[in-house]
Amino acid sequence: MDTIFTLKIILLLIMLFITLIGFAKWCDFKSERRQNRRNLEERINNCKTIRRLTSEELELITPYLTDKKLVKPYKLQSSLVNSEVSIIEGACVRHSFYTDSKETEFYYKIDGIEVLFPYNLQLFALDYNIVEVVFTSRYAIAVSFNGYGFDTLADFSDNSNDENNKYGLSFFSNLSRTIKEEEYQLLEPYLNDPSMVGPYEHGPSLVSPTVSVIVGSCIAINQSNKRNDPIYTYRIGDTVVFFPYDMEQYVEDINIVQVVFTERYALVVKLNQYDLKTAQQNQKQPNKKPHFVKPWESKKTQAELEIEQNLTDANDSIIKIDKNIELKSKFSCEIVEQREETPLESAIRSKKNTGIFAAVFLVVAAMLFVKYWHSFDRFLPVLIMLSLSATVFFYLRKAESYTLDVNRIKAKIRHKDDIKNQMVVGDNLTLKYPAYWIPFLPDKTNENIDMDIVANSKKLLRYGNSLSISREIEEFGPPKFIMRNLILFVTALILSISIFKLVNISDNLPLASYPFNDHVSIWNIKDAKSLKNSPIKKGDLVNIKLNGASCNAQSNIYLEHCDKVFINEQTANNAEDASFENDLLNAFFGNNLIKTVRDNDVTELENQLNNRKNTDYNADYQSGVILTKLLHIDRLILTIDESCQLLEEDKCRRAKQILIQTIKPTASTLDQWPQLVEYSKQHPNYEKIIVAGMLEHLEPQINNLKRSVLSYYLEKANTALTDYQQSAQSVGLALANTQEIKISYPDDEDISLTETYYNALLGKGGKVKVSGLVTGVNYQSDNTILDLTINNDFLYRFHQEQLLSFTSPIFIGISIFIITALIALFHGITICYKLIANRQRKNKIIKSYENKII
């Protein structure tokens, strides 16, 4: 008991510790949000304003004041506190609404104040930020971020309310306009003359007249081995860009670039505040921004470069290829560049463990419980708790993070297999691509296409400038992964069904709740009166050991199989109705009813018949027959007559005819049964020599009479016992699952079936011993027990005290059932949600490509 008590204390401490940790995290989160609100209220009351909100800015902010979808996951605030613009400064930190993981629902905080960034202005975040904001009562709305305002994007149409946009925040991916005639004329020389684009592979025409926006830092890549006179190409994010009219001189740490695409690269139309016309006018002038340090001259550390690329997951993590190192390509195509995958590209892999170990330990816990159910080994609950703890540990354990290598290649598509979602590029390189890319990938190309692929798995991440996994994740979020949910759902569902059948939840629920209440009792019943008047209820444990038990007479006349027994120790009022003639039964079922002998009289008569010397017997006997002497004929006649008075006449007619023909006195004129009975009364112990063959006809008739007499008394006793068992003093006992109850009788008593009936009516029935769980109980109007149904499984017959504790196999079993059922329910719902979300995501991606790809 000390060990069990110690385990209980340890379990309670563990549960309390886990609860406290969760509560502390929740309190920290709520406390931080409340502090943010207090900081905001203090800033609104004390902040100095610098100007009023312009009408153009108000017009651009209005959608974020009226549409709840645009501000999600922030709460909708329909109006501004005022139209005054203030300044806040500091680092920009992103906080998840749920955990510390990278969630899609998060908020930004600067200087202790939550800030909403319309149109993805958070892309311009630096180590230290200067933000112009206006206030609502819940958060601040950024108007300008590090010098970048809404007017920077004034030339573009805003499609942020498009249904493909999940949160209405991926602004730049939804901005587009048509190139102006003046801009096209300024770009035309670079389209017509290959020498104008230097080291770039010439793009002779535009893919489309649409001007798009890309954002990020600019990376210069040295295309020459000459250190004194390097030749550079440029990239912003994953896009190769060409700067007409020496526009690279206007590059800043973070750039908003308007571009149009050729098949080879993107032509810059506008870089930050500088357009083509301004660049043409200043082409031969010195750099207007002397503070700009060209990327290839920068001495910044890698950490500083990562900070400049901001916290947005933008695809600007391009790594320069060191041309001094020979690339050993394992693909038969040109590898342009090698790098590590970006966070967006890695989002196509699940960051959570597969759940296999959690499922395995959950199965182990269930198997240990099954063993405990049948063995009551006190050490097993400890192992069960350890297995469940391991399940929780492996469920919460995060998968190890790793980064794959990405190759940027140039190759032609030789063949595309739409069934396997594969295509062959180069000489013999097979690449896998998403199934929904099928309509947008050509079957074959005649020119090399720029592609990004995962080196080890040969998965296609980007195809040209049209299809991109990174862009899909940035706009529509990562896909939902269901393998972990599926494994746990199937495992938990099977275990739930198995444990539900084993534990029998409906019957055992009261027992399982016993540690939290005292509504379950153990009853030790040793007399019928206590059983009748005890307040036994469903879910109690009983030990019954009583006399006065009889089998259910209503269902079985011969009391051979006890599907239900009745306990009653009182004498029945109708006991005499079931009485029987003991002498008659003893005479009928004794061995002396038909008694014969072959004596000298029989032998002498046979000799006389054979010699034809005795003519007195010629009328009754024939020569050569075998004779025998029938004794005590008077007793046989009177026993048959007494039996026939109990039965119908048809059952005695044949026996009477045979007796009249066989045993009437010699030379007598008796030919009626009453005469024969009267003669038997007047002549006790008379006998007669008869033909032995006549017994073959007489004995079957006597046996039929025996069965009829016995049935008569049994039916009479059964009727009386049925009434007796249905009386108010009786209590019925039945076993669950239609098992039979055994009634035992004293070993030294050998009583007949009729005596068994009669003894039951006198309250002297057999003994019954039943232990188990009460699964059903019916009461009479006076609140006394009418009948009980008991489950006498091994579990309920032994260790009853242990069943009413925290180590009870029933308590543990129902706890495991609840755990597995909740796991199955949660992951089943999650699977449905993720399948629907993935389908909607795929439809949005396809629609987005249909709108963009001509």
Side-chain angles (χ1 to χ4, degrees):
M1 292 303 295
D2 293 339
T3 303
I4 299 301
F5 180 76
T6 303
L7 290 175
K8 292 180 182 179
I9 298 300
I10 294 174
L11 176 61
L12 289 175
L13 290 176
I14 292 173
M15 295 174 64
L16 180 61
F17 179 71
I18 295 173
T19 303
L20 288 176
I21 291 177
F23 182 72
K25 288 186 176 181
W26 180 83
C27 289
D28 289 342
F29 173 76
K30 299 299 290 186
S31 176
E32 181 181 2
R33 300 301 302 280
R34 284 194 295 269
Q35 183 60 45
N36 293 344
R37 289 289 297 275
R38 288 193 290 268
N39 294 341
L40 177 64
E41 293 172 358
E42 183 179 352
R43 185 61 64 93
I44 292 174
N45 295 329
N46 302 322
C47 187
K48 295 181 180 180
T49 61
I50 59 173
R51 63 180 177 86
R52 293 183 65 82
L53 196 65
T54 66
S55 58
E56 291 81 4
E57 291 172 332
L58 179 60
E59 183 178 356
L60 289 171
I61 289 178
T62 298
Y64 292 86
L65 300 175
T66 58
D67 191 344
K68 188 174 183 178
K69 292 182 179 179
L70 292 181
V71 299
K72 189 178 180 183
Y74 293 85
K75 291 185 178 180
L76 175 65
Q77 180 61 37
S78 59
S79 62
L80 299 174
V81 173
N82 54 52
S83 59
E84 299 296 326
V85 178
S86 304
I87 291 181
I88 59 175
E89 302 180 21
C92 182
V93 182
R94 185 173 80 172
H95 294 269
S96 171
F97 274 114
Y98 303 114
T99 66
D100 294 333
S101 60
K102 292 183 179 180
E103 300 282 351
T104 56
E105 294 194 355
F106 48 80
Y107 67 91
Y108 294 98
K109 187 169 70 172
I110 297 177
D111 195 19
I113 297 175
E114 296 180 16
V115 182
L116 171 66
F117 290 99
Y119 308 112
N120 269 6
L121 285 177
Q122 74 272 13
L123 291 173
F124 306 114
L126 301 175
D127 285 342
Y128 189 84
N129 306 274
I130 300 175
V131 194
E132 293 183 357
V133 297
V134 289
F135 296 104
T136 72
S137 62
R138 296 183 182 274
Y139 48 80
I141 300 178
V143 177
S144 175
F145 194 34
N146 294 327
Y148 294 94
F150 303 145
D151 56 340
T152 307
L153 309 170
D155 292 335
F156 290 82
S157 60
D158 182 3
N159 296 324
S160 59
N161 289 328
D162 190 275
E163 63 178 358
N164 293 326
N165 189 357
K166 185 173 183 180
Y167 295 118
L169 296 175
S170 301
F171 178 76
F172 296 108
S173 62
N174 290 288
L175 292 177
S176 62
R177 66 175 176 85
T178 304
I179 190 170
K180 300 176 183 178
E181 181 64 30
E182 180 182 9
E183 292 171 332
Y184 183 79
Q185 291 178 0
L186 289 171
L187 292 177
E188 202 167 18
Y190 295 91
L191 297 172
N192 297 331
D193 188 355
S195 63
M196 294 285 288
V197 297
Y200 290 82
E201 186 177 356
H202 182 238
S205 61
L206 300 180
V207 175
S208 73
T210 301
V211 178
S212 304
V213 173
I214 57 176
V215 178
S217 58
C218 182
I219 305 297
I221 302 174
N222 188 357
Q223 300 291 339
S224 173
N225 292 327
K226 299 178 181 180
R227 295 184 178 273
N228 295 330
D229 187 20
I231 300 173
Y232 297 99
T233 59
Y234 301 93
R235 295 181 185 275
I236 295 177
D238 58 356
T239 305
V240 180
V241 297
F242 176 77
F243 293 102
Y245 303 108
D246 297 329
M247 292 181 73
E248 63 269 19
Q249 62 183 310
Y250 307 120
V251 167
E252 297 180 359
D253 289 338
I254 299 176
N255 307 275
I256 299 179
V257 190
Q258 301 179 22
V259 296
V260 288
F261 291 96
T262 70
E263 293 182 354
R264 310 297 183 190
Y265 47 78
L267 284 168
V268 176
V269 175
K270 187 175 182 180
L271 175 62
N272 299 323
Q273 290 80 24
Y274 301 94
D275 56 16
L276 288 171
K277 187 173 183 180
T278 302
Q280 184 187 39
Q281 293 172 355
N282 300 328
Q283 185 176 14
K284 296 181 180 180
Q285 299 178 14
N287 288 349
K288 294 185 70 178
K289 295 207 171 194
H291 67 275
F292 171 67
V293 180
K294 293 182 174 59
W296 56 89
E297 297 172 349
S298 173
K299 296 182 180 179
K300 295 181 180 179
T301 64
Q302 180 63 27
E304 290 172 334
L305 290 175
E306 290 178 0
I307 293 175
E308 290 177 358
Q309 292 174 21
N310 65 59
L311 48 81
T312 60
D313 297 336
N315 294 336
D316 50 9
S317 57
I318 301 300
I319 301 177
K320 292 191 292 183
I321 295 180
D322 189 346
K323 296 296 182 180
N324 296 324
I325 300 176
E326 180 181 359
L327 296 177
K328 296 182 179 180
S329 172
K330 58 183 178 181
F331 304 130
S332 55
C333 57
E334 178 186 358
I335 299 180
V336 179
E337 191 173 313
Q338 292 177 322
R339 60 178 174 84
E340 290 184 346
E341 63 181 353
T342 66
L344 287 178
E345 290 169 339
S346 69
I348 61 176
R349 301 192 310 274
S350 175
K351 299 300 188 298
K352 297 182 179 180
N353 63 72
T354 59
I356 292 179
F357 286 108
V360 168
F361 279 98
L362 190 61
V363 172
V364 170
M367 293 174 64
L368 290 172
F369 164 70
V370 173
K371 184 176 181 180
Y372 181 56
W373 181 271
H374 293 97
S375 68
F376 277 83
D377 187 340
R378 293 190 176 187
F379 186 67
L380 288 177
V382 179
L383 297 180
I384 293 172
M385 287 304 304
L386 291 176
S387 298
L388 291 176
S389 300
T391 300
V392 174
F393 171 78
F394 283 106
Y395 179 79
L396 298 178
R397 185 176 65 92
K398 295 183 179 179
E400 294 183 3
S401 178
Y402 61 94
T403 304
L404 300 177
D405 295 328
V406 175
N407 289 339
R408 178 162 291 175
I409 65 172
K410 283 185 176 291
K412 299 176 182 178
I413 299 177
R414 295 176 52 199
H415 173 69
K416 186 179 72 164
D417 188 344
D418 292 342
I419 298 177
K420 297 182 179 180
N421 302 326
Q422 295 178 347
M423 64 180 186
V424 180
V425 301
D427 292 337
N428 191 24
L429 173 61
T430 302
L431 300 178
K432 302 175 184 177
Y433 56 84
Y436 53 85
W437 280 14
I438 291 176
F440 312 110
L441 284 172
D443 295 331
K444 186 177 182 181
T445 60
N446 297 322
E447 298 180 357
N448 290 332
I449 306 298
D450 198 27
M451 298 179 237
D452 285 348
I453 64 171
V454 178
N456 61 342
S457 60
K458 299 179 184 179
K459 291 183 178 179
L460 185 62
L461 297 178
R462 182 183 62 84
Y463 175 81
N465 295 314
S466 56
L467 304 174
S468 171
I469 294 292
S470 297
R471 192 180 302 126
E472 293 173 8
I473 295 174
E474 184 178 4
E475 293 184 26
F476 306 103
K480 309 291 184 182
F481 304 98
I482 67 170
M483 182 54 65
R484 161 186 161 103
N485 304 105
L486 183 61
I487 291 174
L488 291 172
F489 169 73
V490 173
T491 302
L493 181 63
I494 294 174
L495 293 180
S496 298
I497 296 173
S498 302
I499 294 176
F500 182 86
K501 292 183 176 180
L502 175 65
V503 178
N504 194 355
I505 301 296
S506 59
D507 290 340
N508 289 326
L509 196 57
L511 279 179
S513 63
Y514 181 81
F516 308 103
N517 60 62
D518 56 354
H519 294 162
V520 176
S521 302
I522 299 178
W523 300 91
N524 295 301
I525 307 296
K526 294 185 178 180
D527 64 88
K529 185 176 180 181
S530 297
L531 176 63
K532 187 68 178 179
N533 298 297
S534 297
I536 299 173
K537 58 186 177 299
K538 182 179 179 181
D540 285 349
L541 295 167
V542 295
N543 298 302
I544 298 175
K545 187 176 182 181
L546 295 172
N547 294 322
S550 58
C551 286
N552 185 8
Q554 191 173 26
S555 64
N556 194 331
I557 192 172
Y558 297 112
L559 303 181
E560 294 178 356
H561 304 287
C562 293
D563 59 334
K564 184 177 183 180
V565 301
F566 289 87
I567 308 296
N568 196 334
E569 294 180 343
Q570 298 185 24
T571 302
N573 295 328
N574 59 346
E576 293 303 322
D577 295 341
S579 61
F580 52 90
E581 294 292 338
N582 194 46
D583 293 340
L584 175 63
L585 290 177
N586 289 336
F588 240 132
F589 292 95
N591 296 323
N592 297 321
L593 185 60
I594 299 178
K595 190 172 183 180
T596 60
V597 68
R598 284 180 58 84
D599 55 9
N600 293 330
D601 294 339
V602 174
T603 304
E604 183 179 351
L605 180 59
E606 287 180 343
N607 292 332
Q608 292 176 1
L609 288 174
N610 293 334
N611 297 325
R612 299 180 180 277
K613 294 181 179 180
N614 191 335
T615 58
D616 295 336
Y617 290 87
N618 289 343
D620 297 321
Y621 308 104
Q622 294 182 359
S623 176
V625 298
I626 298 175
L627 303 177
T628 186
K629 182 181 288 186
L630 181 62
L631 305 178
H632 309 299
I633 297 176
D634 60 309
R635 186 173 59 187
L636 174 62
I637 297 297
L638 295 177
T639 299
I640 297 299
D641 182 66
E642 186 177 358
S643 300
C644 290
Q645 292 178 15
L646 302 176
L647 306 176
E648 297 177 358
E649 180 63 27
D650 291 342
K651 294 183 178 180
C652 294
R653 181 180 298 112
R654 180 59 179 164
K656 290 179 180 180
Q657 289 176 352
I658 294 176
L659 285 172
I660 291 174
Q661 295 173 2
T662 303
I663 61 177
K664 69 179 181 177
T666 304
S668 174
T669 58
L670 298 178
D671 58 358
Q672 299 295 325
W673 180 256
Q675 296 174 340
L676 186 60
V677 172
E678 187 63 27
Y679 183 87
S680 298
K681 291 178 181 180
Q682 295 175 359
H683 300 83
N685 296 321
Y686 81 89
E687 54 193 30
K688 182 184 178 183
I689 298 175
I690 64 172
V691 178
M694 294 298 296
L695 294 178
E696 296 180 0
H697 301 285
L698 180 61
E699 288 179 348
Q701 297 302 318
I702 299 298
N703 291 333
N704 288 338
L705 284 177
K706 287 181 179 181
R707 287 191 293 269
S708 298
V709 170
L710 180 61
S711 295
Y712 168 79
Y713 281 116
L714 288 178
E715 288 179 2
K716 183 178 178 182
N718 190 267
T719 301
L721 186 59
T722 299
D723 295 338
Y724 175 67
Q725 291 175 342
Q726 300 301 322
S727 66
Q729 294 78 26
S730 297
V731 178
L733 292 179
L735 296 184
N737 304 320
T738 64
Q739 298 183 41
E740 294 183 354
I741 301 178
K742 181 180 179 181
I743 297 178
S744 60
Y745 298 93
D747 295 336
D748 58 348
E749 292 186 12
D750 185 14
I751 59 177
S752 65
L753 188 58
T754 53
E755 289 176 318
T756 301
Y757 270 100
Y758 193 64
N759 287 342
L761 291 169
L762 296 178
K764 301 176 182 179
K767 296 180 180 179
V768 65
K769 183 178 180 181
V770 178
S771 296
L773 175 71
V774 177
T775 59
V777 56
N778 293 322
Y779 293 93
Q780 298 183 130
S781 58
D782 58 354
N783 292 327
T784 57
I785 294 178
L786 177 62
D787 56 59
L788 291 175
T789 302
I790 300 172
N791 188 336
N792 69 331
D793 189 88
F794 170 82
L795 178 71
Y796 310 115
R797 286 186 280 133
F798 302 96
H799 310 287
Q800 291 185 345
E801 294 292 341
Q802 190 175 348
L803 292 178
L804 307 180
S805 66
F806 281 108
T807 58
S808 167
I810 297 172
F811 177 76
I812 295 175
I814 293 184
S815 299
I816 294 177
F817 168 75
I818 292 174
I819 292 172
T820 54
L822 289 177
I823 291 174
L825 178 63
F826 171 76
H827 287 282
I829 295 174
T830 302
I831 289 172
C832 295
Y833 161 74
K834 288 185 176 181
L835 290 174
I836 295 172
N838 283 341
R839 184 176 182 85
Q840 292 176 344
R841 176 181 179 272
K842 185 179 72 171
N843 292 337
K844 291 177 180 179
I845 292 173
I846 292 174
K847 189 171 183 179
S848 176
Y849 283 138
E850 289 175 347
N851 294 335
K852 293 178 181 178
I853 299 177
I854 300 177

